[in-house]
């Protein structure tokens, strides 16, 4: 006698920031706002706002990538051109070929030699960074 096997119930998968769920290739141009979860890699051109949902949302913009719009994301790794504000709750890495014309809001930031920013760098909740550099500077000046 054979028994039917029932597939095990699968738990919803967590979205890893290291996995790219969507890629906009070189030579592709999109117009309009885009919402996404997980990882987004851009080699093409986007005109519109990008919103990554969740703290694990991640944007990777290659040297050939270009965004004309505001970005709201968990983490961003930029090596292309952005005309608009970048709002990241986590880390932002600006590589040597990056050029941002707009304000960059960040939790943590890494700026490599050659990166260009035409705007302000604004830390998210600098008061929470009591053990980091800001905390050390505050204690030293007191």
């Amino acid at each position: 006698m054979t028994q039917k096997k029932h597939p095990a119930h699968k738990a919803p998968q967590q979205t890893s920031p290291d996995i790219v769920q969507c890629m906009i290739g070189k030579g592709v141009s999109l117009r309009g706002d885009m919402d996404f979860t997980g990882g987004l890699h851009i080699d093409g051109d986007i005109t519109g706002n990008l919103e990554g949902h969740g703290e694990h949302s991640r944007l990777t913009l290659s040297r050939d990538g270009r965004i004309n719009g505001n970005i709201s994301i968990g983490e961003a790794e930029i090596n292309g051109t952005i005309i608009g504000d970048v709002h990241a709750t986590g880390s932002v890495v600006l590589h040597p070929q990056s050029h941002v014309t707009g304000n960059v809001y960040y939790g943590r930031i890494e700026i490599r030699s050659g990166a260009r920013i035409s705007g302000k760098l604004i830390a998210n909740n600098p008061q929470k960074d009591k053990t980091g550099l800001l905390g050390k500077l505050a204690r030293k000046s007191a």
Side-chain angles (χ1 to χ4, degrees):
M1 191 150 76
T2 60
Q3 292 182 348
K4 288 185 180 179
K5 290 186 178 181
H6 296 282
H9 176 69
K10 292 183 180 180
Q13 293 182 345
Q14 291 290 331
T15 305
S16 170
D18 297 328
I19 297 175
V20 174
Q21 276 79 23
C22 184
M23 180 173 166
I24 309 299
K26 188 174 180 178
V28 175
S29 295
L30 295 176
R31 289 185 179 274
D33 296 344
M34 178 185 253
D35 291 351
F36 65 96
T37 57
L40 172 63
H41 181 91
I42 300 174
D43 290 326
D45 296 324
I46 295 183
T47 300
N49 300 319
L50 299 179
E51 185 170 352
H53 296 281
E55 65 185 52
H56 294 293
S57 60
R58 180 178 179 86
L59 170 67
T60 305
L61 182 65
S62 76
R63 176 185 293 186
D64 297 320
R66 183 175 177 85
I67 299 170
N68 190 347
N70 296 321
I71 300 165
S72 178
I73 193 78
E75 296 182 348
E77 193 155 338
I78 310 300
N79 205 9
T81 301
I82 297 174
I83 300 172
D85 291 346
V86 177
H87 296 263
T89 56
S91 66
V92 175
V93 179
L94 298 171
H95 288 278
Q97 299 298 320
S98 64
H99 185 199
V100 178
T101 302
N103 298 327
V104 179
Y105 300 82
Y106 61 91
R108 293 173 307 283
I109 193 158
E110 181 178 338
I111 304 172
R112 307 259 172 97
S113 179
R116 294 177 294 160
I117 305 161
S118 300
K120 296 178 183 177
L121 295 173
I122 303 163
N124 294 327
N125 298 320
Q127 304 307 329
K128 291 183 179 180
D129 187 19
K130 295 297 184 191
T131 59
L133 180 60
L134 294 175
K136 289 177 186 174
L137 289 173
R139 287 191 297 273
K140 197 175 204 179
S141 65

